[in-house]
Amino acid sequence: MNATRFEGGQTTIRRALVLAAAGLGLTLVGGLFDASRALQAYHVAFTYWAGIAVGALLINMAFHAGKAKWYVVLRRVLESIPLAAPLLLVLALPVLLGMARLFPWVNPAGLDDELRHLAEHRRGYLNVPFFVVRTLVYFAVWIGVGHLLHGWSVRQDTEGGVELTAKQRRLGAGALPFVAIAMTFAAFDWQMSLDLHLASTIFGLYYFAGSFLSAFAVVILAVNASRGTAGMPGALMNENHYHSLGKYLLTFVAFWAYMAFSQYLLIWIANLPEEVPWYLARNRGTWVPVSVALVLFHFVVPFFILLSRKLKRSPGSLGFMAVWILVIHYVDVYWVMMPALRHDPAHALAVHWTDLPAVIGVGAALLAFVVWRMRGRAVVPVGDPYLPESLRYDPS
């Protein structure tokens, strides 16, 4: 198969940059009036999109480790999404510079006796220099692995052969634990440490489950966007590819629910007074409808909808579900982080006008960066020896 190099995307990049400038600009304006609240909105948006980028990297690595062949036709999409990691590192700067406004353990003097004791007890881990170093390590791992997998795949477009496939598979399997561990500790740092009450060892898996699910949703939307152009991944895929992507959506909708219920059940059974307040804050006041909505719209409704074989084989219907997943996953990240960020004793859901510009601004900036990185390269891994098998994919 001849390489079809991606030379388009200029319109997408321009539009995404306009959205990014508008979204981030409005967030900055909001920061001039209420710096803490705008930074909270930005931190939620950053954590949301960073999880999706790393989730795509983990999907690609898992498929390499499992020697999957069916996904080769859409692999370049999976390889490209993690290329956003260098920009995410830059976008992490406002979070690192504004830590005192986000994390209670940075300045524990103003906390009550219980929380101050917890902050002092964890000072060996929760301190500013170590937090910054850990964040840099996380991104070093993600950027390094993502760069190698993408670079070897692009080289294979011209060199061909199975040697580079073997290298990708070895790296995918060997580095998988390190990337996953980095994501787990990032969840501890960026989300769980916002509330000193919670110390859940399963928390990283919860963040992973939602991000992994949403990464599949982004892949579905990306291949759908390319369906109208010959030689693009969406145009080369058949119904069986979409069916498999739909099955992964169904699987990780259930896996997210399993992680959410497992964490809740463990804390409920243990009845630990230092951890129960984390759930009490999300099951009181105006946060109650959000909790109920997550149960219904992050699990129950999409689970039963995705049971349909016909829907999973329809790109349009699957694209609708992908948008649904991305929206409800943002609600989930917001539900996890915002009660801890707000510290509101009335447990009131207080949506701020900077929330939407922040998530749109960060997402649009990442979209422009990824599309720019894709330009000049083949849109599918044409040198992979398993591409013909992938194009003929039929698991029946």
Side-chain angles (χ1 to χ4, degrees):
M1 180 177 178
N2 295 325
T4 302
R5 296 192 176 276
F6 179 62
E7 301 296 348
Q10 297 97 326
T11 301
T12 300
I13 293 173
R14 285 195 297 268
R15 290 175 178 173
L17 287 175
V18 170
L19 280 175
L24 295 176
L26 286 172
T27 306
L28 180 60
V29 170
L32 298 178
F33 294 95
D34 189 343
S36 295
R37 187 60 184 83
L39 187 60
Q40 291 165 5
Y42 181 86
H43 184 36
V44 172
F46 167 80
T47 304
Y48 170 78
W49 288 113
I52 292 174
V54 180
L57 176 60
L58 285 166
I59 292 170
N60 190 32
M61 295 174 71
F63 283 154
H64 275 307
K67 299 182 179 180
K69 301 173 185 177
W70 72 271
Y71 90 112
V72 171
V73 66
L74 57 89
R75 196 183 72 210
R76 190 56 50 84
V77 175
L78 272 173
E79 295 168 346
S80 299
I81 296 172
L83 296 180
L87 179 58
L88 278 165
L89 178 57
V90 175
L91 293 174
L93 288 176
V95 176
L96 297 178
L97 294 174
M99 288 176 62
R101 295 180 180 272
L102 296 172
F103 301 97
W105 46 266
V106 174
N107 294 312
L111 302 176
D112 60 37
D113 292 341
E114 177 194 3
L115 291 178
R116 187 166 60 251
H117 171 74
L118 289 172
E120 293 296 335
H121 179 69
R122 300 170 186 172
R123 183 168 294 278
Y125 182 82
L126 292 178
N127 60 80
V128 173
F130 194 24
F131 183 97
V132 174
V133 169
R134 289 196 305 272
T135 299
L136 295 176
V137 171
Y138 304 152
F139 277 102
V141 172
W142 299 334
I143 292 172
V145 175
H147 174 76
L148 286 174
L149 288 176
H150 179 262
W152 288 338
S153 180
V154 170
R155 273 179 54 194
Q156 194 177 41
D157 291 342
T158 55
E159 297 179 13
V162 298
E163 180 181 350
L164 289 170
T165 296
K167 292 179 72 172
Q168 291 173 75
R169 287 177 172 178
R170 286 195 295 268
L171 179 62
L176 193 57
F178 300 99
V179 174
I181 289 172
M183 187 178 195
T184 297
F185 278 88
F188 293 162
D189 288 351
W190 300 344
Q191 291 186 301
M192 194 168 72
S193 74
L194 294 171
D195 190 335
L196 292 169
H197 284 118
L198 187 65
S200 170
T201 54
I202 206 174
F203 195 88
L205 282 172
Y206 182 82
Y207 179 53
F208 157 81
S211 299
F212 210 71
L213 171 63
S214 297
F216 273 112
V218 169
V219 170
I220 290 168
L221 293 176
V223 296
N224 271 4
S226 69
R227 291 186 69 232
T229 306
M232 298 289 279
L236 297 171
M237 291 167 55
N238 59 44
E239 289 183 338
N240 295 312
H241 292 103
Y242 282 99
H243 194 187
S244 290
L245 289 172
K247 286 188 286 187
Y248 278 109
L249 278 189
L250 174 62
T251 299
F252 282 95
V253 162
F255 184 69
W256 173 88
Y258 174 72
M259 288 295 104
F261 180 71
S262 296
Q263 179 171 264
Y264 182 84
L265 183 65
L266 289 172
I267 292 175
W268 179 75
I269 290 175
N271 197 27
L272 299 176
E274 64 271 22
E275 293 187 357
V276 169
W278 193 89
Y279 276 104
L280 291 179
R282 290 156 181 81
N283 287 281
R284 289 180 176 174
T286 49
W287 283 105
V288 174
V290 182
S291 302
V292 174
L294 285 174
V295 174
L296 291 176
F297 300 118
H298 206 317
F299 172 58
V300 176
V301 175
F303 177 82
F304 285 103
I305 290 177
L306 287 167
L307 289 175
S308 168
R309 183 177 188 272
K310 182 179 179 180
L311 181 142
K312 292 195 288 287
R313 298 176 72 84
S314 167
S317 299
L318 204 57
F320 173 80
M321 292 306 302
V323 173
W324 179 318
I325 292 298
L326 289 176
V327 171
I328 200 65
H329 177 55
Y330 175 75
V331 175
D332 180 37
V333 175
Y334 195 92
W335 176 84
V336 167
M337 298 177 67
M338 198 55 71
L341 287 164
R342 296 294 295 153
H343 305 294
D344 182 8
H347 306 291
L349 170 61
V351 176
H352 195 259
W353 67 267
T354 57
D355 292 332
L356 186 59
V359 73
I360 291 176
V362 174
L366 296 174
L367 173 62
F369 187 77
V370 169
V371 174
W372 172 70
R373 290 291 305 270
M374 291 180 69
R375 284 174 53 82
R377 297 177 173 86
V379 291
V380 294
V382 293
D384 192 297
Y386 300 109
L387 178 59
E389 185 174 344
S390 175
L391 294 173
R392 299 189 303 268
Y393 177 54
D394 185 358
S396 60

